[in-house]
């Protein structure tokens, strides 16, 4: 019984992340938002072609987002689907960071529950709680929080 519980605890995060990745990858193909996807995609393509934000093209959500997305499109294919796959990757990284922060602060089970609720509560890859271009900002903020948390633990 003890070994079975240990095995479940060991595979639960992987199973959760696989479920989250599957949901987001399926949703990445569905229902583009003409307004937001159009603005984001145009800026990312312009950035991937070497144009400068706010000089050569409009960046409604700031230059960091379009530059990072442009780098992704430069190394992949310049399609909206590819850009949505990048968004899924950022959401998964952010999910992992949320899991690590909550797991070390509160507990393992609650971390997985919050992680699932956060990712399943939104019907698309454009989370309502986090503006889609701000997923990158959210990831950076979560990374900083984790670094601060780790630093505090070593003090």
């Amino acid at each position: 019984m003890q070994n079975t519980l240990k095995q479940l605890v060991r595979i639960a995060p992987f199973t959760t992340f696989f479920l989250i990745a599957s949901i987001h990858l399926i949703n990445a193909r569905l229902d583009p938002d003409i307004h937001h996807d159009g603005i984001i995609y145009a800026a990312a393509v312009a950035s991937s072609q070497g144009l400068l934000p706010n000089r050569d093209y409009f960046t409604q959500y700031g230059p960091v987002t379009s530059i990072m997305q442009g780098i992704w499109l430069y190394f992949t294919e310049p399609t909206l689907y590819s850009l949505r796959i990048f968004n899924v990757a950022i959401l998964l990284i952010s999910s992992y960071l949320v899991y690590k922060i909550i797991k070390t602060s509160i507990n393992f089970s609650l971390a997985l529950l919050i992680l699932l609720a956060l990712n399943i509560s939104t019907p698309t890859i454009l989370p309502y709680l986090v503006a889609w271009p701000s997923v990158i900002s959210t990831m950076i903020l979560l990374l900083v929080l984790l670094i601060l948390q780790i630093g505090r633990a070593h003090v």
Side-chain angles (χ1 to χ4, degrees), residues 9-62:
V9 167
R10 214 173 302 145
I11 66 167
F14 299 110
T15 306
T16 304
F17 282 103
F18 179 76
L19 177 65
I20 291 167
S22 299
I23 291 166
H24 286 313
L25 286 170
I26 289 167
N27 286 334
R29 299 184 62 85
L30 306 174
D31 213 15
D33 175 349
I34 295 169
H35 174 70
H36 288 102
D37 282 336
I39 290 171
I40 298 302
Y41 178 68
V45 168
S47 177
S48 73
Q49 295 172 350
L51 301 176
L52 296 176
N54 296 323
R55 186 191 85 178
D56 299 325
Y57 64 89
F58 176 64
T59 56
Q60 179 173 345
Y61 300 108

Side-chain angles (χ1 to χ4, degrees), residues 98-108 110-111 145-146 149 152:
V98 165
Y99 167 75
K100 289 292 285 182
I101 291 167
I102 294 173
K103 181 182 149 204
T104 53
S105 299
I106 303 171
N107 74 30
F108 171 79
L110 189 58
L145 280 173
L146 183 63
Q149 187 180 48
R152 195 176 88 193

Side-chain angles (χ1 to χ4, degrees), residues 94 96-102 104-105 137-153:
S94 297
Y96 176 75
L97 293 171
V98 165
Y99 167 75
K100 289 292 285 182
I101 291 167
I102 294 173
T104 53
S105 299
S137 301
T138 301
M139 180 192 67
I140 293 168
L141 289 171
L142 288 168
L143 185 60
V144 168
L145 280 173
L146 183 63
I147 290 168
L148 289 173
Q149 187 180 48
I150 291 168
R152 195 176 88 193

Side-chain angles (χ1 to χ4, degrees), residues 110-135:
L110 189 58
L112 288 179
L113 184 63
I114 290 172
L115 190 61
L116 270 173
L118 180 69
N119 282 279
I120 294 176
S121 65
T122 178
T124 67
I125 67 163
L126 306 175
Y128 296 118
L129 300 175
V130 180
W132 121 239
S134 297
V135 172

